[in-house]
């Protein structure tokens, strides 16, 4: 068991991630207004590369704790595409946020992420644990959709 298995720590880290995501879009959008959306998205990843590299090197003892031949042999091809989706996300966010506003943009992103997440959980896709979408889970999703509709329309 690691420190990340602690539920309270996990919640705190997710809240920190949410705060960072909430700031990332407006800051990247503002930079895009002065430069370009493509530069702002690029810089976001270029700056983010360094703390991720430092964490990776510390976490994996410089990459030595990963059996790379086995990992590449047994990891499905789709598992390596997360960064591609992340870069598209950052670029789209950077291009749209200063035109639509932070609440609408981030709200639509969160609701869309939740819808996709429920579909992935329902299917047990990408080796995630399968969770049915029914009852309260489906009701919560519906409330989120209604909530973003209200934020968007009013």
């Amino acid at each position: 068991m690691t420190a990340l298995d602690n539920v309270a720590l996990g919640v705190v880290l997710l809240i920190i991630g949410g705060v960072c995501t909430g700031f990332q879009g407006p800051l990247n959008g503002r930079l895009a207004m002065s430069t370009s959306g493509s530069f702002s998205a690029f810089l976001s990843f270029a700056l983010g590369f360094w703390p991720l590299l430092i964490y990776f090197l510390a976490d994996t003892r410089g990459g030595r704790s990963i059996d790379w031949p086995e990992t590449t042999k047994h990891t499905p091809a789709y598992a390596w595409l997360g960064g591609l989706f992340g870069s598209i996300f950052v670029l789209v966010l950077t291009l749209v946020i200063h035109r639509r506003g932070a609440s609408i943009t981030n709200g639509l992103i969160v609701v869309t992420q939740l819808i996709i997440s429920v579909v992935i959980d329902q299917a047990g896709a990408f080796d995630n644990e399968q969770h049915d979408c029914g009852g309260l889970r489906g009701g919560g999703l519906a409330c989120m959709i209604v909530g973003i509709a209200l934020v968007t329309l009013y």
Side-chain angles (χ1 to χ4, degrees), residues 24 28 38-53 87 90:
Q24 179 191 22
N28 286 350
S38 59
F39 175 77
S40 179
F42 167 78
L43 186 64
S44 179
F45 274 84
L47 292 175
F49 170 82
W50 297 106
L52 292 175
L53 177 64
S87 64
V90 169

Side-chain angles (χ1 to χ4, degrees), residues 25-122:
L27 294 175
N28 286 350
R30 179 59 190 95
L31 181 59
M33 290 171 67
S34 298
T35 59
S36 73
S38 59
F39 175 77
S40 179
F42 167 78
L43 186 64
S44 179
F45 274 84
L47 292 175
F49 170 82
W50 297 106
L52 292 175
L53 177 64
I54 291 167
Y55 178 71
F56 163 73
L57 293 173
D59 182 50
T60 65
R61 293 180 293 133
R64 291 187 304 274
S65 68
I66 298 172
D67 183 351
W68 293 106
E70 283 299 308
T71 297
T72 54
K73 188 182 341 177
H74 296 292
T75 302
Y78 63 78
W80 301 93
L81 298 176
L84 175 64
F85 286 100
S87 64
I88 293 168
F89 161 74
V90 169
L91 179 59
V92 168
L93 179 66
T94 300
L95 294 173
V96 172
I97 197 161
H98 65 278
R99 290 177 174 87
R100 300 291 178 259
S103 61
I104 292 171
T105 303
N106 285 325
L108 282 169
I109 287 169
V110 168
V111 168
T112 304
Q113 286 175 328
L114 187 58
I115 292 168
I116 295 300
S117 297
V118 167
V119 170
I120 289 170
D121 282 353
Q122 177 73 28

